[in-house]
């Protein structure tokens, strides 16, 4: 059975007509033949709303008494039993009367949706949980009844019931909302024009955001890349220069012209990690754009123009604001600026604004070396090879092989150019080609040792050398880039293969996954953050590394995972191409977290199943083992009360003794049941204090015959740190069990000795013993070993004894008795070998 659909009518304030619109929708559905019922609708004595209830089936409300008064609430059980196609539930944020099925009405609605029933409901904007503080600031009234934003966001349809403040105030003045005696007070307080206008704007903006989310989902599902200008979204391209502030302010003014406009400032850095921008200036511009209500984004990309356009189309932007290029005029001859490229490539769906500023055409300084990704050492070797190599070659050739020939000389010089390209990239290779051509001219073309060439053929030869050198250097550099990209793709494929393998292997270690992520990207720390709603603080689900952050905004890289989860990394800013692999890690982290929680839930289910098994055994014990002594007591009492038989004093004594024995057995059984219940619920709180073992053990022997136990407790034993009451109960259960299985005439031996920092108490019997495979099982609740008679107890004695022993930081194990039988060994801590103990018991303590 599928989940039902939720439709919400959202209003800016009471009285706008949410309930009326909901009832109108119900009448339309009934006319179409839909099975529709009214689960709960409050008409507030408004005649127009009350009339709309006519003709609709009403489910009887449930009456609840609370503090001497009767209240009515929606009867969820009755609606579930009726199983309509659609249920109308008014006032989604309502708090139910104590004693109801759920605390909040939205929880009732969730049950109906889970049962496959469609629900139509209403809520006002001030009841959304995330807007509580804002509404209180506007109206001065704190809303006590709220609904989580996530509940409203999950609605399949949200329809805004809108009304201007003036129209709503007129409706109130006519008595259509409140009774006449409350109208004046309402109009002069909560329903002031300013309050209603602000609430209306909140409702419009909230619905607009939800519509934008639905639009983004639709575009993603249908792989739509073109811009849909449904909302003004302005992207500002900044370089970290001082002109960025001017651009941000201009974009903010453009956004103000269109209602609901959004400003996104984006800084694009080269993928080599180097930047000529001032970090201080970027921080100032980030603060400025956030103060103006926009957002700041840091993107990595090799090509600034392509990265900017990709970002703008990805966020469905409608306009791009750029500054006039700071490059000098002559530089545009060789390569157009970013502004010109973006304007040319933007297409008809993006408007590009190029804004003048004071820094225009003043230059940008030296360009950042594109080969910086190769590492500083390789670049230095590239420059040495490209410059020092040809110089050394010129000296060697001119001194030792002067007649080698110009063609061979050029080939040797070309070798150093290729080596420079391989080591340091394109720039060292170009420099090597230029420097080599000068050396060839000076040393090897007539006239020698002059920068002139007499033979035109040599001019052509040197020109060809330069062209070939530049071409070869470009090809070698391109090949190196492709090799770098191939290595990167291979590394990415290995990482993705690892992630896919971890899914198939069912690995559940979230910390190991995050540590692999941290090592892969060489980050300082990785944190997986989550929250329950947009207004709740972030909490850490898992973290590795040092210097972890508490919010995504504090990280160098943050990646959202759904609505309320994010991956935050610190250490450095990652390139744009790394985000694909980072997204795979993030998705896997979310899967592993969900899997861990499922495992935890499975463990809880296992515990519940175990508790259910114990409950079943308990019922069996109650039905038989507790009934047996009760039957004996009843039979003895009935005999004593009978007038048909004249009982002698000896017979009466026997009957009374039977009653006493049955009562003792009942007391022991019920005591063990209560003790087991305390252990299962975790309510056993030991009160540890120092005591002597020879003071506790004798007190535990009161329930067995005097000649059935032999004590061997030396007085020289060190004091132990235990809860005397719990230890006494544990020893009593163990001794009673040993006496029960010992042969007649064979007393149980209880001895003690000190071993290091522990004291061992041994209870030795000569009974039938227990096989090794059953030694652990005898400590489980409701377990009897062998052919123990049903009336011998419910099988809780040893389970309670082990529980109490572990509660006082001890252990209880079973061993074979040499010569036959079973030995129970209790190991207890010596005083001073653990946490501090309380010298005295609290007066209110109950063990």
């Amino acid at each position: 059975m599928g989940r039902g659909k939720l439709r919400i009518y959202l209003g800016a304030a009471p009285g706008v007509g949410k309930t009326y619109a909901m009832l109108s929708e119900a009448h339309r559905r009934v006319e179409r033949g839909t099975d529709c019922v009214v689960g709960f609708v409050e008409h507030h004595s408004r005649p127009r709303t009350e009339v709309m209830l006519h003709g609709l089936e009403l489910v009887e409300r449930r009456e609840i008494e609370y503090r001497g008064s009767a209240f009515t609430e929606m009867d969820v059980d009755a609606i579930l039993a009726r199983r309509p196609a659609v249920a109308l539930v008014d006032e989604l944020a309502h708090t139910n009367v104590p004693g109801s099925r759920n605390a909040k009405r939205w929880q009732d609605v969730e049950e109906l949706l889970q049962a496959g029933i469609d629900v139509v409901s209403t809520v006002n904007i001030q009841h959304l949980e995330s807007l509580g503080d804002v509404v209180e600031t506007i109206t001065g009234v704190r809303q006590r009844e709220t609904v989580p934003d996530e509940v409203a966001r999950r609605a399949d349809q949200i329809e805004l019931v809108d009304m201007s403040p003036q129209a709503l105030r007129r409706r109130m003045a006519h008595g259509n909302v409140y009774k006449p005696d409350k109208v004046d007070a309402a109009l002069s307080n909560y329903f002031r024009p300013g309050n209603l206008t602000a609430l209306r704007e909140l409702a419009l903006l909230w619905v607009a955001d939800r519509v934008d989310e639905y639009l983004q989902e639709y575009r993603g599902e249908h792989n739509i890349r073109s811009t849909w200008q449904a909302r003004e979204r302005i992207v500002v391209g900044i370089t970290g220069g001082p002109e960025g502030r001017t651009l941000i302010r201009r974009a903010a003014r453009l956004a103000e012209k269109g209602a609901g406009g959004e400003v996104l400032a984006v800084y694009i850095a080269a993928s080599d990690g180097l930047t000529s921008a001032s970090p201080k200036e970027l921080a100032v511009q980030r603060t400025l754009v956030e103060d103006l209500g926009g957002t700041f984004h840091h993107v990595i990309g090799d090509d600034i123009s392509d990265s900017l356009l990709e970002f703008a189309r990805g966020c469905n932007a409608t306009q791009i604001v750029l500054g006039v290029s700071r490059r000098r005029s002559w530089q545009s001859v060789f390569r157009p600026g970013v502004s010109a490229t973006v304007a040319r490539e933007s297409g008809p769906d993006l408007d590009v604004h190029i804004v003048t500023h004071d820094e225009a055409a003043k230059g940008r300084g030296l360009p950042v070396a594109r080969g910086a990704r190769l590492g500083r050492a390789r670049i230095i070797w590239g420059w040495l090879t490209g410059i020092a190599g040809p110089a050394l070659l010129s000296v060697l050739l001119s001194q030792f092989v002067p007649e080698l020939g110009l063609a061979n000389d050029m080939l040797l010089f070309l070798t150093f150019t290729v080596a420079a390209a391989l080591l340091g990239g394109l720039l060292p290779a170009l420099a090597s080609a230029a420097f080599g051509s000068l050396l060839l001219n000076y040393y090897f073309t007539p006239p020698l040792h002059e920068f002139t060439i007499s033979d035109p053929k040599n001019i052509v030869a040197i020109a060809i050398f330069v062209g070939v050198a530049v071409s070869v250097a470009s090809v070698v550099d391109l090949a190196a880039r492709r090799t770098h990209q191939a290595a990167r793709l291979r590394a990415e494929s290995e990482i993705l293969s690892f992630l896919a393998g971890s899914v198939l292997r069912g690995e559940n270690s979230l910390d190991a996954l995050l540590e692999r992520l941290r090592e892969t990207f060489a980050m300082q720390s990785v944190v997986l953050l989550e929250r329950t709603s947009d207004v709740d603080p972030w909490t850490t689900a898992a973290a590795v590394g040092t210097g972890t952050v508490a919010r995504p905004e504090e990280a160098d890289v943050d990646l959202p995972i759904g609505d309320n989860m994010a991956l935050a990394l610190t250490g450095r800013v990652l390139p744009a191409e790394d985000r694909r692999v980072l997204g795979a890690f993030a998705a896997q982290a979310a899967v592993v977290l969900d899997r861990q929680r499922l495992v935890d839930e499975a463990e809880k289910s296992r515990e519940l199943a175990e508790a259910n098994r114990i409950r079943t055994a308990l019922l069996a014990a109650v039905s038989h083992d507790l009934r047996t002594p009760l039957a004996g007591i009843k039979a003895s009492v009935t005999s004593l009360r009978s007038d048909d038989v004249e009982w002698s004093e000896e017979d009466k004594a026997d009957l009374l003794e039977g009653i006493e024995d049955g009562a003792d057995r009942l007391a022991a059984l019920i005591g063990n049941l209560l003790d087991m219940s305390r252990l299962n619920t975790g309510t056993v709180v030991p009160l540890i204090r120092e005591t002597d073992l020879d003071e506790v053990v004798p007190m535990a022997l009161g329930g067995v015959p005097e000649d059935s136990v032999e004590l061997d407790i030396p007085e020289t034993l060190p004091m132990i740190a235990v809860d005397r009451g719990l230890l006494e109960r544990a020893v009593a259960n163990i001794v009673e069990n040993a006496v029960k299985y010992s042969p007649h005439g064979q007393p149980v031996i209880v001895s003690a000795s000190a071993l290091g920092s522990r004291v061992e108490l041994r209870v030795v019997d000569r009974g039938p013993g227990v096989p090794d495979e059953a030694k652990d099982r005898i400590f489980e609740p409701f377990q009897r070993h062998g052919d123990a008679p049903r009336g011998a107890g419910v099988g809780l004695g040893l389970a309670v004894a082990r529980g109490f022993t572990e509660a006082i930081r001890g252990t209880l194990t079973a061993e074979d008795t040499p010569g036959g039988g079973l030995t129970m060994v209790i190991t207890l801590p010596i005083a001073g070998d653990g946490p501090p103990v309380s010298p005295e018991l609290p007066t209110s303590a109950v063990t």
Side-chain angles (χ1 to χ4, degrees):
M1 180 184 300
R3 177 183 170 88
K5 296 185 179 298
L6 174 62
R7 179 170 185 167
I8 295 178
Y9 286 93
L10 178 69
V16 297
K18 303 180 302 301
T19 304
Y20 190 92
M22 178 180 67
L23 294 174
S24 299
E25 172 67 16
H27 280 286
R28 286 192 293 270
R29 297 197 182 197
V30 170
E31 290 173 359
R32 294 195 298 264
T34 304
D35 183 13
C36 183
V37 301
V38 177
F40 188 96
V41 169
E42 190 62 69
H43 55 73
H44 297 290
S45 301
R46 298 169 187 169
R48 296 175 182 269
T49 305
E50 190 172 0
V51 169
M52 292 296 294
L53 287 170
H54 296 167
L56 298 176
E57 179 183 347
L58 276 68
V59 177
E60 291 294 329
R61 300 183 183 181
R62 179 187 176 193
E63 187 170 301
I64 301 175
E65 290 190 3
Y66 179 66
R67 293 183 177 179
S69 300
F71 300 89
T72 58
E73 293 288 358
M74 181 173 68
D75 194 336
V76 180
D77 292 325
I79 298 176
L80 292 175
R82 171 64 174 76
R83 295 202 59 80
V86 180
L88 307 184
V89 182
D90 203 5
E91 299 179 355
L92 185 62
H94 172 73
T95 301
N96 294 328
V97 175
S100 301
R101 182 188 185 98
N102 295 302
K104 304 287 288 187
R105 184 163 294 162
W106 63 263
Q107 295 171 324
D108 296 337
V109 169
E110 282 293 318
E111 285 198 39
L112 299 180
L113 294 173
Q114 291 293 340
I117 301 174
D118 294 346
V119 177
V120 183
S121 188
T122 65
V123 71
N124 282 325
I125 191 67
Q126 66 264 28
H127 293 300
L128 293 180
E129 199 169 77
S130 65
L131 300 177
D133 295 336
V134 179
V135 172
E136 184 179 10
T137 302
I138 295 171
T139 64
V141 178
R142 182 68 181 182
Q143 299 296 327
R144 301 300 178 187
E145 295 186 330
T146 59
V147 61
D149 287 44
E150 184 61 26
V151 174
R153 284 198 184 94
R154 288 202 303 264
D156 299 276
Q157 298 180 48
I158 298 177
E159 183 171 333
L160 178 65
V161 183
D162 189 30
M163 178 175 285
S164 67
Q166 295 77 12
L168 180 56
R169 285 172 61 84
R170 284 196 301 270
R171 177 179 289 184
M172 293 193 63
H174 293 158
N176 294 331
V177 179
Y178 290 153
K179 294 181 179 179
D181 57 339
K182 297 182 179 179
V183 171
D184 291 338
L187 290 175
S188 59
N189 290 284
Y190 190 88
F191 289 86
R192 294 194 300 269
N195 290 359
L196 296 178
T197 302
L199 293 173
R200 187 188 187 196
E201 183 179 12
L202 279 178
L204 290 169
L205 291 176
W206 194 89
V207 172
D209 287 339
R210 302 293 77 73
V211 172
D212 193 58
E213 288 180 3
Y214 298 149
L215 179 60
Q216 294 293 347
E217 291 178 5
Y218 180 85
R219 284 167 52 85
E221 291 172 357
H222 293 79
N223 196 25
I224 298 174
R225 301 289 298 169
S226 60
T227 300
W228 287 4
Q229 299 184 2
R231 179 179 182 182
E232 288 296 335
R233 188 173 280 110
I234 302 171
V235 171
V236 188
I238 59 177
T239 63
E243 76 280 0
R245 307 183 199 183
T246 302
L247 302 181
I248 292 171
R249 293 189 181 98
R250 180 59 182 271
R253 290 197 298 272
L254 290 173
E256 289 175 358
K257 294 180 181 179
E262 183 179 356
V263 176
L264 299 90
V266 56
Y267 171 73
I268 300 176
S271 61
D272 52 29
L274 300 179
T275 176
S276 59
S278 166
K280 182 178 180 181
E281 181 63 29
L282 283 177
V284 171
Q285 293 177 15
R286 179 171 193 154
T287 302
L288 175 62
V289 71
E290 291 176 350
D291 289 343
L292 294 174
T295 56
F296 184 90
H297 304 268
H298 194 147
V299 175
I300 307 297
D302 286 324
D303 190 293
I304 295 178
S305 303
D306 289 345
S307 299
L308 181 61
L309 287 171
E310 184 177 354
F311 177 84
R313 292 192 176 102
C315 65
N316 201 27
T318 57
Q319 302 180 53
I320 298 178
V321 176
L322 297 172
V324 174
S325 177
R326 286 191 287 161
R327 304 166 79 240
R328 300 188 187 279
S329 301
W330 62 267
Q331 291 178 300
S332 300
V333 176
F334 300 98
R335 183 184 179 187
V338 173
S339 302
T341 304
V342 171
R344 184 180 67 250
E345 302 293 337
S346 61
D349 55 351
L350 271 172
D351 297 334
V352 180
H353 301 265
I354 299 179
V355 181
T356 59
H357 51 84
D358 295 336
E359 302 297 321
K362 290 186 177 180
R364 297 174 54 88
L366 293 175
V368 177
R370 297 175 65 86
R373 71 184 189 280
L374 300 174
R376 186 174 181 180
R378 286 192 60 179
I379 295 174
I380 292 175
W381 277 106
W383 281 100
L384 288 175
T385 303
I387 301 300
L392 181 61
L393 180 63
S394 299
V395 174
L396 293 176
L397 291 177
S398 61
Q399 293 294 328
F400 301 103
V401 196
E403 303 297 332
L404 188 61
L406 183 59
N408 293 326
D409 294 338
M410 288 183 177
L411 290 175
L412 291 173
F413 275 88
L414 186 60
T415 303
F416 282 98
T417 301
V418 173
L422 287 172
L423 290 174
L426 185 59
L427 288 181
L430 295 178
S432 178
F435 186 52
S437 65
L438 293 176
L439 293 175
L440 285 170
N441 181 11
Y442 189 83
Y443 286 102
F444 303 104
T445 58
L448 300 178
H449 305 115
E450 293 183 14
F451 289 106
T452 58
I453 302 174
S454 59
D455 189 351
K457 295 181 180 179
N458 292 335
I459 296 177
V460 175
I462 291 179
I464 292 175
F465 166 77
V466 174
V468 171
V470 171
S471 300
V472 170
S474 300
V475 171
V476 170
D477 181 70
L478 180 62
R481 290 172 182 270
R482 293 292 181 264
T483 302
H484 174 74
Q485 292 175 359
R488 179 181 183 83
L489 291 174
R490 183 175 66 253
E492 288 185 6
S493 65
E494 290 176 357
I495 293 172
L496 295 176
S497 176
F498 160 78
L499 293 177
S502 66
V503 173
L504 296 176
R505 290 189 299 270
E507 296 177 359
N508 293 327
S509 178
L510 184 57
D511 289 340
L513 179 66
L514 296 184
E515 182 62 30
R516 176 66 181 266
L517 170 60
R518 189 183 71 84
E519 294 174 357
T520 299
F521 293 104
M523 303 302 286
Q524 182 179 355
S525 67
V526 180
V527 186
L528 183 62
L529 301 170
E530 63 177 351
R531 58 183 178 181
T532 56
S533 67
D534 292 341
V535 298
D536 290 326
W538 290 97
T539 58
T540 300
V544 295
T546 59
T548 57
V549 296
R551 298 186 303 164
E553 297 82 4
E554 301 172 356
D556 295 319
V557 180
D558 66 280
L559 185 67
I561 311 173
D563 293 333
N564 298 313
M565 190 177 293
L567 197 64
L569 298 87
T570 60
R572 63 188 178 94
V573 177
L574 292 180
E577 57 265 28
D578 282 344
R579 287 186 172 267
R580 180 171 62 254
V581 178
L582 183 61
F585 268 108
Q588 178 67 4
V591 170
V592 171
L593 181 61
D594 289 340
R595 187 181 297 155
Q596 283 185 352
R597 289 176 174 169
L598 288 175
V599 170
D600 293 340
E601 291 178 4
E603 179 63 21
K604 292 180 180 178
S605 299
R606 189 194 63 78
E607 294 175 358
L608 290 175
E610 178 65 18
N612 187 59
R613 186 191 66 80
I614 293 176
R615 189 180 299 110
T616 303
L618 173 62
L619 291 175
V622 170
S623 64
H624 183 279
D625 297 300
L626 296 184
R627 186 180 299 172
T628 300
L630 280 176
I633 293 174
K634 181 173 177 58
S636 298
V637 171
T638 302
S639 300
L640 288 173
R641 290 173 55 87
S642 175
D643 296 329
D644 299 335
V645 180
E646 184 69 27
W647 301 101
S648 64
E649 293 298 326
E650 184 178 352
D651 292 333
K652 290 181 179 179
D654 290 340
L655 291 174
L656 290 174
E657 184 178 357
I659 293 173
E660 185 178 9
D661 290 342
D664 290 339
R665 290 174 59 190
L666 274 179
L669 291 173
I670 294 174
N672 281 334
L673 289 173
L674 293 176
D675 290 340
M676 199 69 238
S677 175
R678 292 169 60 200
L679 289 170
N680 285 336
T681 57
T683 57
V684 175
V685 181
L687 300 173
I688 306 298
R689 65 171 182 173
E690 296 181 0
T691 187
D692 286 319
L693 189 61
D694 58 356
E695 295 179 359
V696 179
V697 174
M699 302 294 296
L701 306 182
V704 295
E706 293 183 1
D707 58 350
S708 61
V709 178
E710 290 184 3
L711 278 179
D712 183 14
I713 310 293
E715 296 181 357
T716 57
L717 286 177
M719 298 186 73
I720 55 176
V722 295
D723 182 309
R724 294 186 58 173
L726 296 182
L727 178 59
E728 181 181 330
R729 293 294 302 276
V731 173
N733 283 356
I734 295 171
V735 172
E736 289 175 5
N737 187 77
V739 170
K740 184 189 307 179
Y741 288 99
S742 289
H744 182 71
Q746 292 282 343
V748 172
I749 301 174
V750 179
S751 62
S753 59
L755 296 173
S757 61
R758 315 288 284 180
V759 169
E760 277 191 0
L761 180 67
R762 308 176 73 87
V763 180
V764 182
D765 68 59
R766 295 292 180 178
V770 175
D772 291 339
E773 62 272 13
K775 282 187 170 62
D776 286 332
R777 194 166 61 248
I778 61 175
F779 294 105
E780 296 178 4
F782 303 105
Q783 294 292 326
R784 295 186 184 89
H785 177 64
D787 56 352
R790 292 288 302 177
V794 294
L796 284 176
L798 294 181
V800 171
R802 171 170 276 188
F804 282 171
T805 304
E806 292 176 350
I808 58 177
R809 299 184 294 118
T811 60
L812 174 59
T813 57
E815 299 177 357
D816 290 329
T817 301
L822 188 68
T823 299
M824 292 289 181
V825 182
I826 300 179
T827 305
L828 302 169
I830 292 176
D833 187 52
V837 297
S838 52
E840 295 182 2
L841 287 174
T843 56
S844 60
V846 178
T847 304

